[in-house]
Amino acid sequence: MNNFLVSLITMDHINFERDIKLVDSLGVDGLHIDIMDGHFVPRYGIYPEIIERLSSISSLPLDLHMMVKDTEFTIDQFNNNENIAYIHFHIESCFGNEMRIVDKIRSIGAKPVVCINLSTSFSSLDRLLSNNEIDGVMLMGIHPGVLKQDSRPNNILNDLKDLKERTCSLNADSFIALDGAVSMDTIKPMSEAGINYFVGGTSSIYKNVNRSDDWKIQEQKIKENWKEIKKLLDK
């Protein structure tokens, strides 16, 4: 089963509630939220109070993507939210301490997903994968936290065979996710190659959505995009 989550950072930031309620009503599988510290990535966002507010707006499952240097500290700031389904942590920020991160994530009732950047070797994941310690692997199709960059879908497609061989020991409910490089043009080939968990935004569900347009026009375009995404994912 293919899952599609909407990236919160690609929504209209002064109309989060409106946008969230719409995608919830459309039937997306969850919200993906970037937690950034300005050190591991050159951007900031989002603080715990916003996550608490989101949970009062919608019951959609939440993915927290920890783009931070101190993963353990940051997880502790978000440990009081029942809607957090998965916490994604970067292998690059905690190499050598990944088992401790996994334990901390499970201790707050969430499931751990390990993220890996474009230039990081898959061999860094071997112990997590061989010991079935995680519930998924998320590939980055872009450099995390960097604005206005080209995605690298071909790199992902070239690497997927290797990753699928490494993840064969994971449980049946585990997944391979993609964040960045998710577009109307890439969803189908990525799905066929083995991606079954997509994080999308400006190039997919919000493609050609002009935030200066009347809301009814925006809403119609989002609905049209979602219809196309479901077709691409056979949902």
Side-chain angles (χ1 to χ4, degrees):
M1 180 67 174
N2 288 312
N3 287 325
F4 185 92
L5 288 84
V6 180
S7 176
L8 191 78
I9 202 169
T10 64
M11 290 183 171
D12 184 341
H13 291 194
I14 61 171
N15 289 292
F16 274 143
E17 182 169 356
R18 181 197 67 190
D19 282 12
I20 290 168
K21 286 182 176 179
L22 174 59
V23 298
D24 192 349
S25 71
L26 293 177
V28 304
D29 297 295
L31 300 176
H32 183 86
I33 303 164
D34 294 334
I35 311 298
M36 301 175 284
D37 65 356
H39 298 284
F40 183 72
V41 294
R43 298 193 73 195
Y44 291 102
I46 277 175
Y47 48 88
E49 290 78 7
I50 290 180
I51 305 301
E52 292 176 15
R53 176 67 178 134
L54 296 183
S55 295
S56 70
I57 294 169
S58 167
S59 59
L60 280 171
L62 305 180
D63 274 14
L64 300 192
H65 183 180
M66 299 294 176
M67 303 184 194
V68 298
K69 279 193 172 181
D70 192 339
T71 306
E72 286 188 84
F73 168 82
T74 309
I75 291 171
D76 284 337
Q77 311 311 305
F78 294 88
N79 65 3
N80 294 317
N81 195 297
E82 295 178 357
N83 282 16
I84 298 173
Y86 294 97
I87 292 181
H88 303 240
F89 67 96
H90 274 267
I91 193 70
E92 297 86 1
S93 71
C94 60
F95 192 70
N97 293 321
E98 41 295 50
M99 301 299 187
R100 200 164 70 211
I101 300 298
V102 167
D103 289 343
K104 179 173 281 289
I105 292 170
R106 293 202 188 280
S107 74
I108 67 168
K111 295 180 180 180
V113 178
V114 65
C115 307
I116 186 164
N117 286 340
L118 284 161
S119 58
T120 303
S121 171
F122 287 150
S123 63
S124 63
L125 307 178
D126 282 349
R127 293 191 70 185
L128 285 172
L129 297 175
S130 63
N131 291 302
N132 199 20
E133 291 282 351
I134 53 175
D135 288 82
V137 177
M138 187 165 75
L139 301 175
M140 297 303 300
I142 56 175
H143 300 295
V146 178
L147 295 173
K148 296 181 180 178
Q149 58 175 302
D150 294 328
S151 63
R152 289 177 166 81
N154 290 334
N155 295 38
I156 300 298
L157 289 168
N158 291 337
D159 291 341
L160 269 172
K161 183 179 178 181
D162 181 14
L163 181 60
K164 285 174 70 177
E165 290 174 355
R166 293 173 185 268
T167 57
C168 62
S169 62
L170 294 180
N171 65 64
D173 294 328
S174 65
F175 55 82
I176 300 177
L178 178 62
D179 185 4
V182 175
S183 71
M184 296 301 195
D185 295 326
T186 63
I187 288 173
K188 191 70 172 179
M190 291 293 183
S191 176
E192 291 171 347
I195 301 290
N196 52 6
Y197 199 95
F198 294 84
V199 176
T202 53
S203 298
S204 51
I205 195 164
Y206 296 126
K207 183 179 181 180
N208 295 328
V209 174
N210 186 339
R211 292 302 186 180
S212 64
D213 284 343
D214 181 81
W215 169 239
K216 289 297 181 183
I217 297 173
Q218 295 183 51
E219 182 181 31
Q220 183 59 34
K221 187 58 184 175
I222 293 166
K223 287 180 177 179
E224 291 172 1
N225 287 340
W226 176 238
K227 185 177 181 180
E228 178 65 20
I229 290 165
K230 288 200 296 181
K231 196 180 301 181
L232 291 169
L233 293 175
D234 297 321
K235 288 178 75 68

